[in-house]
Amino acid sequence: MSATIETFEFQTEARQLLDLMIHSVYSNKDIFLRELISNSSDAMDKRRFEGLKDPALLDEGAELKIRLEPDVEGRTLSILDNGIGMTRDEVIELIGTIAKSGTKEFMGKMKEMKESGNPELIGQFGVGFYSSFMVSDDVTLVTRKAGEDTATKWHSSGDGTYTLEDAERSEAGTTITLHLKEIDEEDQMQDYTEEWVLRGIVKKYSDFVAYPIEMDIVRTEKERNEDGTPKEGGEETTTITPEILNSMKAIWLREQKDVTEEEYSEFYKHISHDWTEPLTRIQGKIEGTMEYRMLLYIPSKAPFDLFQQDGNHGIHLYVRRVFIMDDCKELLPSYLRFVRGVVDSEDLSLNISREILQQDRQIQRMGKGIVNKVLSGLKMLSKKEPEQYATFWTHFGRVLKEGIFQDHENQEALLELSRFTTTNDPEERTSLQSYVDRMKADQEAIYYMTGEDRKKIEASPHLEAFVEKGYEVLILDEPVDEIWTSGVQEYKGKTFANAGRGAVDLGSEDEKKQAEEKLKAKKEEFNSVLDCLKGKLSAQVKEVRLSNRLTSSAACLVTDTDDLSPQMEQMMRAMGQTPPDTKRILELNAEHPLMAKMQGLFDADQSDAKLDDYATLIYGQALLAEGGQLDDPGKFSKLVAELMVQAI
Ligand code: ADP
């Protein structure tokens, strides 16, 4: 074994994080212990799970446990576990860097924290191991991976570098030794070598941890008389007894009335590695052909990796109280990937592996039950705590909407849970049910308009007739809206209709009839110039027609009923696909003075070059009005300038 000590630099992000920790940005120092115990507990979960496949990874007869070893004189606290441990490379990868997905977002948060002076924001990221630098100025970690002989020692005093050297450890697992900073009660820094302090923290934050958290309790007893009173001049004896500090009770098995909100919340933090309070909790016990319990949570904020491919799913699977695996993707569809918690089955086999999981019918059935429970939990939240539900929707609505097209069985329930802003109210979101309740007597469909953002949608000419006639339109400004609306036809018997697509038919039967007749007359009046424009714009549009959706604008572009929308085309391109070549329809406002002028121009001289310019201009401005991009902006602006000169 070489005795060389190698020095490494922390990755930039890791160094910045360490700085924050050293300068005590987070007020509650006690939680460093919760973080280290959680890591140890995870490490033992992993060892047990790996041990199912390869029993050689388990030390025969050795109980998996965590030990706390305070040293009053040396002012150190050690946390020992016999979990999976780490190899040298893993130490570099896991401890020297912030390997979390979403590092970029994290850096943004750090900046925000500095600027806002609100360091508690760090809690959103849950920095785990590094929180030990809140209470110590020097940290040593010795670890040995299960199945390997050599151990690695990592050491840092938080100064931007760390060292690694080979070490020895009698069994697999990890020991973390913290050299504690001075006690400073004002700074919430307690004496973490004191038995009562450690006892209190474990009870408060880690009572439910499934492994024993053991500490040697030192008692000094004076020799006693027969009646129990201390004997004068008697000898003092010191006994050291290992004691288990936590009850290890699985919190999801306890009666709800016996568990405090604080305990539930600490359990959430333990499994989710989130430092912030959960938004809500969904609990249930399913009995019958299958029996399982679940204790699930909805976080109060979207995690950084919510939209990353490798983002974590948060379900821990237990079988009869024995931890089987975390990140159990099979139990929840991806549109519920933000849910965190525990599912404990009475029926599954203890040997269930990830490979079997995918085809396991029982797992599929459980998955369905869990989805139902989550959706009904959300429904309840929306009814009982509309404000909390609004917060939920702000953070996770985009993800939940993925379910509308992924999960046909629950489509209706998901539509019911969905919230949208509309042309009526830019702030308050509405449910589809409330929209339907507000629909006008003659209204046939639920109108919506998709687009990049609210402003562009609101400004688009397509909505003119809807707004003027007082029809409420849902504003759908997220990419996922483009997808679900292309597949979903109706909600409770009311069809969805895109305000930017196909022909528009608003009003009572009488009004419609009148509008139709008027349009027919106008068509006759402008027929020849419409044909002329169609000829000139044949490369850009498939039709030029009169509109009944415009009231003030001269023109707009609409997508034909079954064609791909421009946003959908854009999304397909972004995904590396080639969308089919679709042309749109140019709709013109018959009431706009421009129509009569163009008709006049055409009647005077069919070959007037101005008609070409007008065709280019009218198409261009219809494109601009919806936020589109011109093919030839140079030509367009030159034409506009010429027209301005003529007009002045
Ligand atoms: P997090 O726990 O949130 O992933 P940490 O910074 O606390 O972040 O830990 C980073 C990684 O280091 C963990 O995911 C785990 O793989 C590894 N690790 C930390 N502590 C231990 C331990 N006691 N035993 C084994 N691995 C550990």
Side-chain angles (χ1 to χ4, degrees), residues 35 49 60 68 78 116-117 239 359 401 481 593:
E35 295 298 304
F49 183 60
E60 214 171 305
L68 303 184
S78 297
S116 69
T239 53
Q359 311 116 17
K401 281 192 282 189
D481 294 321

Side-chain angles (χ1 to χ4, degrees), residues 16 119 182 196 213 226 307 343 383 426 457 507 530 536 592 639 642:
Q16 296 198 12
E182 287 304 309
W196 68 272
I213 304 171
E226 266 173 25
F307 287 96
V343 173
K383 295 225 157 87
I457 297 175
L530 288 175
K536 294 192 188 301
H592 200 284
L639 283 174
E642 276 168 26

Side-chain angles (χ1 to χ4, degrees), residues 57 71 155 170 202 274 295 321 332 364 373 390-391 397 410 433-434 500 520 544 625 639:
L57 293 178
D71 173 353
H155 170 256
S170 59
V202 169
D274 179 0
L295 171 55
R321 256 71 62 219
L332 272 187
Q364 284 165 10
K373 189 81 198 167
T391 308
N410 289 304
Q433 190 54 55
S434 329
K520 213 169 137 199
V544 179
L639 283 174

Side-chain angles (χ1 to χ4, degrees), residues 517-546:
E517 273 167 20
K518 202 164 148 196
L519 206 62
K520 213 169 137 199
K522 291 281 179 195
K523 255 188 207 157
E524 275 166 29
E525 184 183 344
F526 298 129
N527 204 13
S528 51
V529 76
L530 288 175
D531 268 350
C532 158
L533 290 172
K534 191 174 166 182
K536 294 192 188 301
L537 291 171
S538 63
Q540 287 90 352
V541 297
K542 66 171 167 189
E543 199 184 333
V544 179
R545 69 182 181 205
L546 292 179

